[in-house]
Amino acid sequence: MTTNLSEQEQLRRQKLIDLQNAGVQAYPAEEFSVNVTAHDIKENYERDKLNYKDISIAGRLMSIRDMGKACFAVIQDSTGRIQLYIRKDDICPNPEDTKLYDLVWKKLMDIGDIIGVKGYVFTTKMGEISIHVTSFTLLSKALKPLPIVKTDADGNSFDEVTDPEFRYRQRYVDLIINPKVKKTFEQRTKIITSIRNFLNDSGALEVDTPVLQAIPGGAAARPFITHHNALDIPLYLRIANELYLKRLIVGGFDWVYEFSRNFRNEGMDRTHNPEFTVLEFYVAYKDYFWMMNTTEKLLEKIANDLHGTTDVVVGDKTISFAAPFKRITIYDAIKEYTGIDVSTMNEAELRDVCKKLHLEIDESMGKAKLIDTIFGEKCEGNFIQPTFITDYPVEMSPLTKKHRSKEGLVERFELMINGKEIANAYSELNDPIDQRERFEDQIKLMERGDDEAMFIDYDFLRALEYGMPPTAGIGFGIDRLCMLLTNQPSIQDVLLFPQMRPEKKAEEVNAD
RNA sequence: GAUUCCGUAGCUCAGCAGGUAGAGCAUUACACUUUUAAUGUAAGGGUCCUGGGUUCGAAUCCCAGCGGGAUCACCA
């Protein structure tokens, strides 16, 4: 086993033994009470010096600069970093007994160890607010060396760990050594809190609905399948929670929402992870126009809560989340970017258009899919500023109410930002007869080989037959929204633990 | 799933007309009681992703596998 360890790892295990021999516990059980944070000190010390004469703080050792009979070190707590100044004379007042400084501190402490210190705050000659340490306590010994990232006065990083595999597999290390990464995840939580506050303040009720479903409904996607032993039935991990939230609208709640972890057994790339988060909410007695207005208000608030402004930098662009957003029908969008009016075309005419535009199509594609292809290839990427695309063909929206005045269309919108779909919403279909026919159309698609067509959920139909009020519903891709608002190009950078292939055999991991 | 690039010390990387490995930081030792990418001197550390092949000889060339990134396809 020892043969697997690097030189530095072996050394640290030896230090563990040396600590024990010196009577120092490497993993003490006692509480170490803390009365200040690094951020607090840096923020408030200058104007309230008296308050920082007797402080106690804990954190991870990030660097040590040994000056002989004194050392400078830096610890990092959950709020940031602060410098320590440790003098031999202070730690070991008795010159006869210098073990604590010369042995425990200078020989047995390492970068990565977690320590607690007591002392007082002062400012060094170089002007850095620091802690003059009067005593220290080892709280946890680190056995693996921490990658060292140094930063100079101008903020330039050296030896920054950028290897994506390292960062995603050992996110705990990434979080320790890359403060920007930690900030991104704090921002993610802020975004979700902002949304939750908006909804709760509006009188919405947060609910939990099943993740394990006998019929994976509410979306067109390939599900993960599992098996329940006691019931001896197959169960699916949910691909959406839509049908359950609408059951709750039937049940008499007027506004329900859920942050739903959804699972789809499909490809992975920069914008797809097998499990991802969608916020869905449903509001009784509203329609999709109301939902557009509400979406504008919500996004404007999120941007303000997070950045203090509605202008957000994403890559080399600036996106304005200030309401109102542009609204355009999908037919007008196609006309704008191709010059072709497809609104009255039949399937054969649409096929000719696709050929003229050099789009790849196949025989199985129906009218709606052809329109979707034209939009996806020729229009979608152009909508950088938030834009509502409205009034989709009925064939691709089996859960959406037919348009109040436009034949063949439904009352649906998608919100496009930075060329990507961020939200999908509609006036919900609440006519149980119509809904049953739409499901049956899906079954026909399934029989023609569409492996993503929806199953019929008979219990959902039964619920609709009891009567569902007219309802507006929406789903937001939370991960993608976070990518936008935190300016991260990959979904892996807004997921703490993105899905990865197993890195090696379990026994080898255990041997570490 | 397809194409393409990558995998060398704890970390970041160099080494590739094929001659069994180097740098900086980190580590170890010594010096230094307000330094800050601290500094100075010295030292240790590597199944060069794995397995085959070509060759007198492979980190370097070829093939396969594993892992990762990017692009494409499917999708949110």
Side-chain angles (χ1 to χ4, degrees):
Chain A
M1 175 177 164
T2 316
T3 53
N4 290 332
L5 295 176
S6 69
E7 183 191 36
Q8 292 194 46
E9 289 174 305
Q10 291 177 37
L11 241 152
R12 289 189 180 211
R13 277 170 164 75
Q14 181 57 47
K15 288 181 181 184
L16 214 49
I17 295 165
D18 295 343
L19 281 165
Q20 196 171 14
N21 292 338
V24 175
Q25 287 193 46
Y27 305 99
E30 291 81 8
E31 175 186 4
F32 184 87
S33 55
V34 165
N35 62 16
V36 72
T37 63
H39 177 78
D40 177 8
I41 293 170
K42 288 190 165 170
E43 196 76 357
N44 302 314
Y45 169 69
E46 286 295 355
R47 55 182 154 76
D48 186 14
K49 294 191 175 178
L50 293 178
N51 223 355
Y52 297 89
K53 293 198 152 184
D54 188 12
I55 62 139
S56 178
I57 188 170
R60 190 183 296 274
L61 264 171
M62 298 304 287
S63 82
I64 301 170
R65 292 184 290 279
D66 183 354
M67 310 277 299
K69 293 184 181 62
C71 288
F72 287 93
V74 173
I75 58 166
Q76 171 173 286
D77 70 7
S78 66
T79 67
R81 297 182 183 183
I82 186 133
Q83 178 168 270
L84 308 180
Y85 178 56
I86 303 188
R87 289 199 314 193
K88 184 173 181 173
D89 297 346
D90 300 318
I91 301 300
C92 302
N94 177 6
E96 302 293 310
D97 180 12
T98 62
K99 188 179 81 175
L100 198 56
Y101 182 83
D102 286 334
L103 177 71
V104 178
W105 170 255
K106 283 187 64 164
K107 300 288 184 195
L108 301 181
M109 292 298 119
D110 286 300
I111 288 169
D113 292 353
I114 295 167
I115 63 170
V117 304
K118 294 182 194 302
Y120 56 89
V121 180
F122 75 112
T123 305
T124 67
K125 280 181 188 166
M126 302 299 288
E128 175 137 355
I129 296 171
S130 308
I131 298 170
H132 195 125
V133 174
T134 51
S135 74
F136 74 94
T137 310
L138 175 62
L139 299 177
S140 184
K141 182 72 190 159
L143 297 182
K144 277 191 176 293
L146 196 63
I148 306 298
V149 181
K150 297 203 173 187
T151 309
D152 70 13
D154 299 326
N156 302 311
S157 286
F158 300 85
D159 298 339
E160 191 168 1
V161 178
T162 52
D163 175 18
E165 183 170 7
F166 186 105
R167 292 186 43 231
Y168 301 147
R169 287 197 195 281
Q170 301 188 54
R171 181 68 91 184
Y172 34 88
V173 178
D174 191 28
L175 289 165
I176 293 167
I177 63 182
N178 292 325
K180 282 180 222 156
V181 172
K182 200 171 173 196
K183 189 183 172 197
T184 299
F185 288 104
E186 287 166 350
Q187 287 184 314
R188 182 184 168 113
T189 299
K190 267 190 194 169
I191 290 166
I192 289 170
T193 301
S194 173
I195 296 171
R196 191 169 264 134
N197 288 343
F198 176 92
L199 292 168
N200 289 346
D201 291 348
S202 304
L205 183 74
E206 185 169 15
V207 296
D208 289 306
T209 65
V211 174
L212 289 173
Q213 303 180 350
I215 298 166
R222 280 196 293 276
F224 284 93
I225 187 163
T226 185
H227 185 264
H228 190 281
N229 289 342
L231 297 177
D232 192 25
I233 53 167
L235 285 175
Y236 300 88
L237 274 66
R238 70 176 164 205
I239 56 174
N241 61 349
E242 168 161 356
L243 301 186
Y244 281 93
L245 291 183
K246 284 199 260 193
R247 283 173 171 92
L248 295 176
I249 297 294
V250 171
F253 295 109
D254 278 349
W255 190 338
V256 289
Y257 75 93
E258 180 176 19
F259 286 94
S260 173
R261 189 72 64 88
N262 294 346
F263 305 84
R264 298 190 184 175
N265 206 341
E266 292 164 348
M268 297 165 55
D269 61 27
R270 206 169 70 249
T271 55
H272 297 83
N273 193 67
E275 57 182 293
F276 61 102
T277 302
V278 171
L279 162 71
E280 293 205 19
F281 65 81
Y282 290 81
V283 192
Y285 311 113
K286 304 298 182 189
D287 64 8
Y288 77 139
F289 290 113
W290 178 90
M291 189 59 92
M292 281 188 246
N293 298 338
T294 303
T295 299
E296 286 168 346
K297 280 185 219 150
L298 172 57
L299 285 178
E300 190 174 70
K301 172 186 151 59
I302 298 168
N304 272 322
D305 284 355
L306 189 68
H307 295 297
T309 168
T310 51
D311 287 337
V312 178
V313 174
V314 180
D316 55 3
K317 308 179 188 92
T318 299
I319 291 175
S320 169
F321 286 85
F325 302 161
K326 184 182 172 188
R327 301 179 186 192
I328 183 171
T329 68
I330 188 167
Y331 286 150
D332 286 345
I334 290 171
K335 200 190 291 179
E336 186 174 331
Y337 287 100
T338 66
I340 301 169
D341 181 357
V342 298
S343 63
T344 56
M345 288 187 179
N346 61 28
E347 192 173 319
E349 291 169 315
L350 285 166
R351 267 176 208 287
D352 287 343
V353 170
C354 286
K355 276 176 199 146
K356 205 158 72 183
L357 296 172
H358 309 293
L359 300 178
E360 270 190 42
I361 52 169
D362 63 62
E363 287 309 304
S364 76
M365 289 172 142
K367 189 178 157 184
K369 196 112 184 173
L370 293 168
I371 290 168
D372 194 55
T373 300
I374 297 169
F375 178 80
E377 292 296 321
K378 294 293 171 188
C379 309
E380 195 173 82
N382 296 308
F383 295 107
I384 303 304
Q385 298 302 321
T387 305
F388 294 114
I389 311 297
T390 66
D391 300 347
Y392 285 69
V394 63
E395 293 87 345
M396 291 202 76
S397 311
L399 302 168
T400 310
K401 186 175 279 196
K402 282 179 180 148
H403 198 279
R404 61 196 71 183
S405 60
K406 297 176 183 170
E407 184 71 22
L409 301 183
V410 290
E411 296 205 346
R412 172 178 176 186
F413 71 79
E414 291 193 356
L415 174 61
M416 312 295 306
I417 306 176
N418 202 29
K420 292 260 159 53
E421 182 196 335
I422 293 297
N424 181 19
Y426 28 89
S427 301
E428 302 296 332
L429 176 55
N430 63 342
D431 175 344
I433 307 289
D434 190 358
Q435 182 66 78
R436 186 176 295 266
E437 287 167 2
R438 304 276 195 97
F439 274 142
E440 281 162 0
D441 290 342
Q442 290 290 306
I443 293 300
K444 283 176 200 152
L445 284 177
M446 201 179 285
E447 284 162 356
R448 268 168 46 183
D450 186 342
D451 61 351
E452 290 185 342
M454 290 183 192
F455 293 86
I456 300 185
D457 186 332
Y458 290 101
D459 175 70
F460 175 66
L461 287 174
R462 178 167 62 189
L464 287 191
E465 286 173 6
Y466 280 99
M468 182 173 87
T471 298
I474 191 166
F476 283 89
I478 293 298
D479 308 299
R480 289 183 181 178
L481 185 63
C482 289
M483 287 168 64
L484 271 180
L485 292 168
T486 62
N487 195 16
Q488 296 297 328
S490 169
I491 197 169
Q492 296 173 109
D493 292 314
V494 297
L495 298 171
L496 282 166
F497 300 102
Q499 190 58 243
M500 301 285 275
R501 280 198 165 80
E503 61 181 313
K504 51 184 171 181
K505 291 176 196 158
E507 54 186 349
E508 291 175 59
V509 174
N510 288 337
D512 285 355

